[in-house]
Amino acid sequence: MGDGSIGKIGIRDVAAAADVSPTTVSHALSGKGRLPDATRRRIAAIAEELGYRPNANARNLVSGKSGLLGIVVSSSKETPFGLADFDYFIQLLSAATGAAVERGRALVVEGLRIGADAFGQVDVDGAIVVDPVSDDPLLDALDAAGVPVVTTGRRDGPPRDGRADCWVDNDHVKATESILTHLAEHGADRIGLISTSPVTSYTRDAIHGYEQWCESRGQERMIQVVEGPINEGAGVRAAEQLLEMSRPPDAIYATLDQLALGVLLAARAKGLNVPDDLMIAGCTDSQASAWAEPPLTAVTLNPEAIGQAAVSSLIDLIDGNGTVPEPVIIPTGIIDRQSTARAA
Amino acid sequence: MGDGSIGKIGIRDVAAAADVSPTTVSHALSGKGRLPDATRRRIAAIAEELGYRPNANARNLVSGKSGLLGIVVSSSKETPFGLADFDYFIQLLSAATGAAVERGRALVVEGLRIGADAFGQVDVDGAIVVDPVSDDPLLDALDAAGVPVVTTGRRDGPPRDGRADCWVDNDHVKATESILTHLAEHGADRIGLISTSPVTSYTRDAIHGYEQWCESRGQERMIQVVEGPINEGAGVRAAEQLLEMSRPPDAIYATLDQLALGVLLAARAKGLNVPDDLMIAGCTDSQASAWAEPPLTAVTLNPEAIGQAAVSSLIDLIDGNGTVPEPVIIPTGIIDRQSTARAA
DNA sequence: CGAGGGCGCAAAAACGTTTTTTCTTGCGCA
DNA sequence: TGCGCAAGAAAAAACGTTTTTGCGCCCTCG
């Protein structure tokens, strides 16, 4: 109806305009088949002029794909993370979604997760799983369903036969060493670590990096592992444990910004001056860290870069029949703020 | 290959198992056609048992829909908002995505927005536009393309002929009045307003509510409108303007949390005590507001409820041929924190 | 000069549904 | 006894692509 501006134009319309068959149009635009370049260009020009946009459903129907990518934060009963819990995830998501749309895919964010049925009725061509935890049933479910997966952070457990893992990660061991060194250089003598339980590669790496660093410096290990839900309260309790030691730390590194904020609360309650009595640093930056008093020094993981790389790898994994993209390692950095600026 | 657990089962498989035709299965499951209830139930049971999940592409191909919903934050040249700028949007998005998946749709988040081509190659059945600004070309583009739109916040401009607007919003006039009253009850004498330029209904309502309130109380209007990018720096500058007045305000309400945080910075720089010399409140709560020193009182808009309602309305709008869902109004609240707890 | 082989393109099949149309059977009623 | 009608179900068409197969034609080479 109307003059046609509303009626979607399909491959037949292009074919009619170019006076060729739909087959030829398809071939011309996809680069397949046997056609002289002149014809290809002619058809491409006409398609462009008509504003032809192939129907994704029809295309996907033939190829057997859905055209959708999924992204989900890994969780288990022990670690009930949610989408909005961390600024880190938001930044990652934002970058991923941009990268996906740029490449013609839609990125579906998993919301309320129920068991392994992560994407409900929606089925995806592949999924990005953020910070996979060891006992997340979702990973096994995705494997069983044959869904290509890229993880952000490395998977735990023995290598699954045949299939190579595909992941994007930071070098957390190195990042941990660098923040510890940063603290030491600013005058810290005894540095404690507050970490979540080692269910993610990220945490395991941080603990490993810490232990290695202690070893090389001959410092006593002071590790407090947080169990249960991750929030400021958990950080407070962990910090209290460390600060009640006979020889308490004079600096604490927490592997999550929310824990670091908890340390700050605990320090205040104890009347400790930050950074003079106690330095505090956290991993992953956030608005809250920046706005705390004093602002907290943070290790940044470049979540935007991680998100983009993950989408890129996932698409390569889906399209590249059988060939698995190489792992990607994203550089880290330190955002130096007042919480570690002790007067010499 | 294998024992069949991998080969997706389709409507034919169900038909074969039930010893009927695919047509009958389709009718049985959709409730259409003429079938005795006994047959319907029998087929439904078999489909369930086999774990039949209809292919969304095939279905959408017939119906001419894509099965995708889009969500995007409105912006224009003057107000270059980004996805990750506000905790508010994150909370809204999180709720929306859950609501969508629950109803079998995928919610696509628009990332890097370039001109009106919001969803790139991906085309959506409908879109949620968050906080529509007057001159956002996207809205016109969506209208022109015939894409059903639900806005979060009301659209500007004259009613477009024929089509009724479909929106979800808070009562910002009332919310503004209530926070102003809250400030007054805690001892504020002269309340200033910092707002973004009135490009969204939200801002216009806040300004209107403020003016109305001033009128009824006989208070001088002290409004500072922020132009350009919205960040703490903008808040600082706006606050400085207000605080340099001959009779400066002793309380400031800012219509965005980032602006309120800027006010806090300005107060600190001027050596003003918060809340004794200056009370501060912001609209939309955020982690940073909660972690500021002192923590900032905030008007909360219940973004989760907004997100859910928007998805709900959008699906109704898409499916209900012609009938436009009623507007929805979501209640607001006040999160009372230290920045407004002036000693009597 | 006839056969083989590209080349340029089109016809047809396929993807998995839904929707429309057609067929069969049994039954009530004249 | 025959006719029409309704119920129940199947067949066929359609959705818009891609992929596979096929068909002329011209050129080249023996």
Side-chain angles (χ1 to χ4, degrees):
Chain A
M1 40 193 89
D3 57 28
S5 82
I6 210 85
K8 285 295 283 179
I9 64 125
I11 201 172
R12 300 162 202 271
D13 302 298
V14 178
D19 201 34
V20 293
S21 74
T23 310
T24 304
V25 175
S26 175
H27 283 157
L29 296 179
S30 67
K32 304 187 175 175
R34 296 177 307 205
L35 291 180
D37 272 358
T39 307
R40 285 193 203 281
R41 279 193 300 271
R42 187 172 66 88
I43 293 178
I46 292 177
E48 169 78 21
E49 185 188 320
L50 263 51
Y52 168 64
R53 298 215 327 197
N55 178 307
N57 277 130
R59 177 178 279 183
N60 290 144
L61 181 56
V62 172
S63 70
K65 316 216 147 161
S66 70
L68 301 177
L69 309 182
I71 187 169
V72 56
V73 180
S74 183
S75 68
S76 69
K77 293 196 183 73
E78 285 185 49
T79 59
F81 296 161
L83 187 153
D85 285 350
F86 307 109
D87 279 27
Y88 168 77
F89 180 61
I90 299 313
Q91 295 163 35
L92 193 159
L93 170 63
S94 172
T97 208
V101 167
E102 217 167 69
R103 299 184 60 168
R105 318 286 180 118
L107 186 73
V108 179
V109 183
E110 167 279 341
L112 311 165
R113 171 117 157 276
I114 305 159
D117 195 19
F119 296 98
Q121 299 300 338
V122 178
D123 58 22
V124 297
D125 291 338
I128 296 171
V129 177
V130 177
D131 284 335
V133 300
S134 316
D135 57 341
D136 189 342
L138 175 65
L139 283 164
D140 292 330
L142 290 173
D143 282 345
V147 177
V149 168
V150 170
T151 57
T152 275
R154 305 182 318 282
R155 300 178 68 151
D156 194 18
R160 288 144 312 116
D161 42 76
R163 268 183 291 187
D165 280 347
C166 184
W167 49 265
V168 178
D169 201 4
N170 305 100
D171 185 340
H172 285 287
V173 175
K174 211 171 84 186
T176 304
E177 285 168 355
S178 72
I179 186 70
L180 294 174
T181 300
H182 182 268
L183 289 167
E185 282 173 353
H186 284 68
D189 247 350
R190 295 167 52 73
I191 309 178
L193 176 73
I194 294 180
S195 162
T196 52
S197 66
V199 291
T200 61
S201 69
Y202 151 63
T203 319
R204 291 189 292 273
D205 288 349
I207 292 176
H208 181 230
Y210 175 79
E211 291 178 337
Q212 207 167 281
W213 189 85
C214 285
E215 187 114 4
S216 74
R217 300 282 178 132
Q219 193 213 280
E220 179 192 352
R221 290 177 188 172
M222 291 170 286
I223 304 181
Q224 194 64 37
V225 171
V226 167
E227 305 288 350
I230 310 302
N231 53 31
E232 300 84 31
V236 171
R237 288 188 294 276
E240 284 170 351
Q241 293 285 324
L242 288 179
L243 296 175
E244 279 166 9
M245 294 172 68
S246 53
R247 294 183 56 209
D250 70 335
I252 292 179
Y253 173 53
T255 60
L256 274 180
D257 72 290
Q258 309 219 10
L259 297 177
L261 290 162
V263 175
L264 180 55
L265 278 184
R268 259 189 222 154
K270 264 194 136 46
L272 295 176
N273 176 284
V274 177
D276 290 341
D277 302 325
L278 183 71
M279 287 196 257
I280 302 175
C283 191
T284 72
D285 192 30
S286 70
Q287 287 189 55
S289 294
W291 276 96
E293 182 54 42
L296 299 183
T297 290
V299 171
T300 178
L301 305 174
N302 286 312
E304 297 88 355
I306 295 179
Q308 287 170 2
V311 166
S312 214
S313 287
L314 183 55
I315 292 179
D316 291 349
L317 181 62
I318 292 171
D319 289 349
N321 345 277
T323 68
V324 177
E326 289 298 308
V328 178
I329 295 185
I330 304 292
T332 61
I334 292 179
I335 299 178
D336 197 7
R337 298 207 184 91
Q338 218 181 314
S339 70
T340 57
R342 186 178 292 176
Chain B
M1 41 191 87
D3 56 28
S5 81
I6 210 86
K8 287 294 282 178
I9 64 124
I11 202 172
R12 300 162 203 271
D13 301 299
V14 178
D19 202 31
V20 295
S21 74
T23 309
T24 305
V25 175
S26 176
H27 282 156
L29 296 178
S30 68
K32 304 187 176 174
R34 297 178 304 203
L35 290 180
D37 272 357
T39 308
R40 285 194 204 280
R41 280 193 299 271
R42 187 172 66 88
I43 293 178
I46 292 177
E48 169 76 22
E49 185 187 319
L50 263 52
Y52 167 64
R53 299 215 324 197
N55 179 306
N57 275 318
R59 179 176 279 184
N60 291 145
L61 180 56
V62 172
S63 70
K65 316 217 146 162
S66 71
L68 300 178
L69 309 182
I71 186 169
V72 57
V73 180
S74 183
S75 68
S76 69
K77 292 198 183 74
E78 284 185 50
T79 61
F81 296 163
L83 186 153
D85 285 351
F86 308 108
D87 279 27
Y88 169 77
F89 181 61
I90 298 314
Q91 294 163 35
L92 193 160
L93 170 63
S94 172
T97 205
V101 167
E102 217 167 69
R103 299 183 61 168
R105 318 288 180 116
L107 185 73
V108 179
V109 183
E110 166 280 342
L112 310 165
R113 172 116 156 276
I114 304 156
D117 196 18
F119 296 98
Q121 298 301 336
V122 178
D123 59 22
V124 297
D125 291 337
I128 295 171
V129 177
V130 177
D131 284 336
V133 299
S134 317
D135 56 341
D136 189 342
L138 175 65
L139 283 164
D140 292 331
L142 290 173
D143 282 345
V147 177
V149 167
V150 171
T151 56
T152 275
R154 305 182 317 283
R155 301 178 67 151
D156 194 18
R160 285 143 314 114
D161 42 76
R163 268 183 292 188
D165 280 348
C166 184
W167 50 265
V168 177
D169 200 5
N170 305 101
D171 185 340
H172 284 288
V173 175
K174 210 171 83 185
T176 304
E177 285 169 354
S178 72
I179 186 69
L180 294 174
T181 301
H182 182 268
L183 288 167
E185 282 173 353
H186 284 67
D189 248 350
R190 296 169 50 76
I191 309 177
L193 176 74
I194 294 180
S195 163
T196 51
S197 68
V199 290
T200 62
S201 69
Y202 150 64
T203 318
R204 290 188 294 272
D205 288 350
I207 293 177
H208 181 230
Y210 174 81
E211 291 178 337
Q212 208 166 281
W213 189 86
C214 285
E215 186 114 4
S216 73
R217 301 280 178 131
Q219 193 212 280
E220 178 192 354
R221 292 179 188 172
M222 291 170 285
I223 304 181
Q224 195 63 39
V225 171
V226 167
E227 306 287 350
I230 309 302
N231 52 31
E232 299 85 33
V236 170
R237 288 187 294 276
E240 284 171 351
Q241 294 285 326
L242 288 180
L243 295 173
E244 279 165 11
M245 295 173 67
S246 53
R247 295 182 56 208
D250 69 335
I252 291 180
Y253 173 53
T255 60
L256 274 180
D257 71 291
Q258 309 220 12
L259 296 178
L261 290 162
V263 175
L264 180 56
L265 277 184
R268 261 190 221 152
K270 264 194 136 49
L272 294 176
N273 177 285
V274 176
D276 291 340
D277 301 326
L278 183 70
M279 288 197 256
I280 302 176
C283 191
T284 73
D285 193 30
S286 69
Q287 288 189 53
S289 294
W291 277 95
E293 182 54 41
L296 299 184
T297 290
V299 171
T300 178
L301 304 174
N302 287 312
E304 297 89 355
I306 295 179
Q308 287 170 2
V311 166
S312 215
S313 287
L314 183 56
I315 293 179
D316 291 349
L317 181 61
I318 292 171
D319 289 348
N321 346 278
T323 69
V324 177
E326 289 297 306
V328 178
I329 295 185
I330 305 293
T332 61
I334 292 179
I335 298 177
D336 196 7
R337 298 207 185 90
Q338 221 180 313
S339 69
T340 58
R342 184 179 294 176

